[in-house]
Amino acid sequence: MKKWIVPIVLLVLVALWAMNVNNSAVSLKESATKSWGDVESSYQRRSDLIGNLVKTVKGAADFEKSTLEAVINARAKATSVNIDPTNITPEQLEQFNQAQSGMSSALSRLLVTVERYPELKANQNFLELQSQLEGTENRINVARDRFNEKVEPYNKMVKTFPNKFITGLLGFDPMAYFKSEKGAEKAPDVEFDFSN
């Protein structure tokens, strides 16, 4: 009977360790997944605000139709990209980032074009929406940073030895970090073309 005590104790200790690793990985992954939900919520807020902004801008009868169409199309594309928060891959994040980048670019063109419409710039609804969009862009940045902060401990947990043996067996894969779009490290060229 004594010869079985040591193996049984070792087996119980390994099982307890494996349960602890599993529970920690689940907790960290849930935290990162919730954080991704916050990122998506911030992008959804921006999308909702852009819909209201487009309606307000449409009120300016002679506003450039092509600029509005670009914003509407970019918004549709950005909202069509969905990511499974429990299995975020670098490829999914790249696709999501590209769609959101297109939305940001179209929105920037819209706001630059508005400069030519003094009556629109003075519209209180437009000014309020513009202010809310600026705040939302800040929220998006904070949410992405918080997501990366939550992914880091999870990835450390599933990648470090000896945890990676258990997490690998249980199907816990590392999560992708949110990264800036390619070329973001270079300062953009700013041109003001007032001849149009």
Side-chain angles (χ1 to χ4, degrees):
M1 180 71 173
K2 285 185 176 183
K3 67 179 183 176
W4 291 105
I5 291 178
V6 171
I8 290 174
V9 167
L10 285 175
L11 188 61
V12 167
L13 288 175
V14 167
L16 289 173
W17 169 71
M19 282 189 331
N20 183 45
V21 168
N22 177 68
N23 293 343
S24 295
V26 166
S27 177
L28 291 170
K29 187 169 189 175
E30 282 302 309
S31 196
T33 300
K34 187 246 179 239
S35 231
W36 178 253
D38 293 343
V39 170
E40 288 182 324
S41 175
S42 295
Y43 278 116
Q44 182 63 51
R45 174 180 163 80
R46 178 174 75 170
S47 179
D48 294 345
L49 286 172
I50 288 169
N52 291 333
L53 185 70
V54 166
K55 287 177 189 172
T56 302
V57 172
K58 277 184 179 178
D62 59 344
F63 197 82
E64 283 93 347
K65 186 178 178 183
S66 62
T67 303
L68 283 175
E69 287 174 354
V71 171
I72 292 167
N73 292 337
R75 178 179 178 234
K77 184 176 179 184
T79 57
S80 70
V81 177
N82 294 315
I83 292 181
D84 175 9
T86 61
N87 188 26
I88 297 174
T89 64
E91 294 79 22
Q92 288 175 324
L93 270 181
E94 177 67 25
Q95 182 184 13
F96 183 84
N97 201 18
Q98 285 177 348
Q100 294 301 329
S101 177
M103 180 70 248
S104 295
S105 177
L107 184 58
S108 294
R109 286 192 306 273
L110 173 70
L111 294 177
V112 166
T113 305
V114 164
E115 292 298 316
R116 291 188 238 148
Y117 294 85
E119 70 282 354
L120 185 56
K121 284 184 2 184
N123 180 307
Q124 189 59 40
N125 288 340
F126 179 79
L127 293 173
E128 185 178 322
L129 286 167
Q130 190 176 15
S131 175
Q132 286 186 29
L133 277 171
E134 289 170 6
T136 299
E137 291 299 326
N138 289 334
R139 286 181 185 188
I140 289 169
N141 189 45
V142 168
R144 288 187 302 211
D145 289 346
R146 287 184 181 159
F147 170 72
N148 282 345
E149 287 172 7
K150 297 293 184 178
V151 168
E152 180 185 17
Y154 169 76
N155 281 351
K156 284 181 180 178
M157 170 75 169
V158 300
K159 289 180 175 182
T160 56
F161 179 81
N163 294 344
K164 72 181 190 175
F165 292 118
I166 297 298
T167 57
L169 288 172
L170 297 174
F172 289 99
D173 296 320
M175 294 177 80
Y177 287 99
F178 199 99
K179 296 180 182 176
S180 64
E181 59 188 273
K182 291 178 181 160
E185 70 281 356
K186 298 175 187 165
D189 292 331
V190 178
E191 293 181 26
F192 295 101
D193 182 10
F194 296 111
S195 61
N196 293 333

